[in-house]
Amino acid sequence: MSTTQDPSQVSQFDLETTPGQGGIGEAAGAYWDRIKGGDLGALPAVIGAVVLVIVFGIMEPDSFLTEQNFANLLNQGAAIMVLAMGLVFVLLLGEIDLSAGFTAGTGAAILGVTLTNHNWAWPLAIGAALITGVAIGFAIAVLVARLGIPSFVVSLAFFLGLQGAMLLIIGEGGTIPIRNEAVLKVMNQNMSVALGWLLALIVIAGYAGTSFWAIRTRKNAGLPVPAMSVWAAKVVALGVVVVIAVFLLNQERQRPNAPIVIQGVPWVVPLVVALVVALTFLLMRTSFGRHVYAVGGNAEAARRAGINVPNIKTVCFILGSTLAIVAGILLASRDNSVSPTTGGAQTLLYAVGAAVIGGTSLFGGRGRIVDAVTGGLVVAIIANGLPLVTQKSGVQFIINGLVLLLAASVDAISRRRAAATGR
């Protein structure tokens, strides 16, 4: 079809009969071919989440399969998801940022000190924390991208340095309470039932509209497009998942005889959705995003193609550290306080695990923002379900380590398979 066709004349029939782009059956066959070729995407994370829900649901049906625990899962996973979103940018380059956890903690500490000790307004306190994230990311990027020091070494140094900075800001052994209602509301309060359904409508209609617009744009440019039946199936699948999730969250989930009613979608959910949409647009729809994938795939080839590799790396590290600060603010909001352990312990392990389990490659060049969400959900299910099954910390550490090792192994095997099949 001519690329000069009037967009208004593009019919559903035209879209469905694009050569080589059949219906759901052909799309399923093409997806199976990609899997056999080593492009697993988020499939391992989805399968893992389903298996874990079934296992924990059978072992602890009265405590795991409840509306209250479902809301807890989202709150437990939100900060890890946001931290993992930032790490996706760094991992796409084939780099690593081991300081992300304590960058989050440092941001939370600055937020706590400015809010509680100096009575700053919450927008100023959050702004100060975010500026700190930009400065940390820029400093790491200068050492990695300009001086050529391996990111493992630089971020390990920042891991130790930021841990010390947190102790100096907070004071050793101290804890700073967070009392600001606006900050606490993000992780501790819920939307009204009506707002929850409005959010569901916006998500479903937004996905349907933007994906349809993308199909029309590609069609007008003479590029291959999926059939409308495939588009409709994806919209229906997303709609079913979103409607079920909002329905469960809108149920009353307070304890029996409790004086208050707890129901509705947690306020952190629209924040995570907004970040996924904005960052996905940045990675998938802009020249910057294409340059990130090019640098991660082959930095030398990207340089020869005229891409400013140091600048791309700088922006990615800044985005990673800034999103880590956002995660730190969420951690402070969830805990109602900031302590020297905020962002420490297993926070970084969970975030890296979330990105890798979701489908982001540790070797660079492959990954999506939504990987952080699917992987973060798996990590949250493990962190939530394991303590219900066993109280032994040793068993929990071993299982967490095995899950991360399994995810890294799947990544390595799929990458070798993709190389062998020429994908």
Side-chain angles (χ1 to χ4, degrees), residues 13-104:
F13 179 79
D14 292 330
L15 296 173
E16 289 181 336
T17 55
T18 301
Q21 303 297 315
I24 295 176
E26 185 173 331
Y31 183 63
W32 178 244
D33 289 340
R34 291 204 305 272
I35 292 174
K36 290 192 296 183
D39 184 8
L40 300 180
L43 182 63
V46 174
I47 294 176
V50 172
V51 170
L52 287 170
V53 168
I54 293 174
V55 171
F56 290 138
I58 293 175
M59 298 180 74
E60 295 291 336
D62 296 333
S63 51
F64 185 78
L65 295 178
T66 63
E67 293 88 353
Q68 183 180 16
N69 197 46
F70 180 50
N72 289 340
L73 269 176
L74 297 179
N75 276 333
Q76 281 183 297
I80 296 299
M81 292 175 187
V82 175
L83 192 58
M85 289 180 200
L87 286 171
V88 166
F89 284 94
V90 179
L91 292 174
L92 280 174
L93 300 174
E95 306 284 359
I96 188 67
D97 183 1
L98 299 177
S99 66
F102 281 113
T103 299

Side-chain angles (χ1 to χ4, degrees), residues 8 72 80 102 165 212 243 259 269 288 292 345 347 390 408 414:
S8 62
N72 289 340
I80 296 299
F102 281 113
F212 182 76
V243 168
V269 173
F288 165 75
V292 171
T347 303
T390 176
S414 64

Side-chain angles (χ1 to χ4, degrees), residues 314-351:
T314 299
V315 175
C316 285
F317 274 104
I318 289 175
L319 284 171
S321 295
T322 305
L323 288 167
I325 295 289
V326 177
I329 294 171
L330 296 181
L331 290 172
S333 173
R334 187 191 67 186
D335 297 339
N336 295 358
S337 64
V338 182
S339 73
T341 60
T342 301
Q346 301 177 62
T347 303
L348 176 66
L349 171 66
Y350 283 160

Side-chain angles (χ1 to χ4, degrees), residues 1 3 14-22 26 211 214-227 285:
M1 179 177 292
T3 58
D14 292 330
L15 296 173
E16 289 181 336
T17 55
T18 301
Q21 303 297 315
E26 185 173 331
S211 55
I215 289 174
R216 292 198 58 157
T217 303
R218 290 179 60 86
K219 182 72 176 178
N220 292 338
L223 298 173
V225 296
R285 301 293 180 187

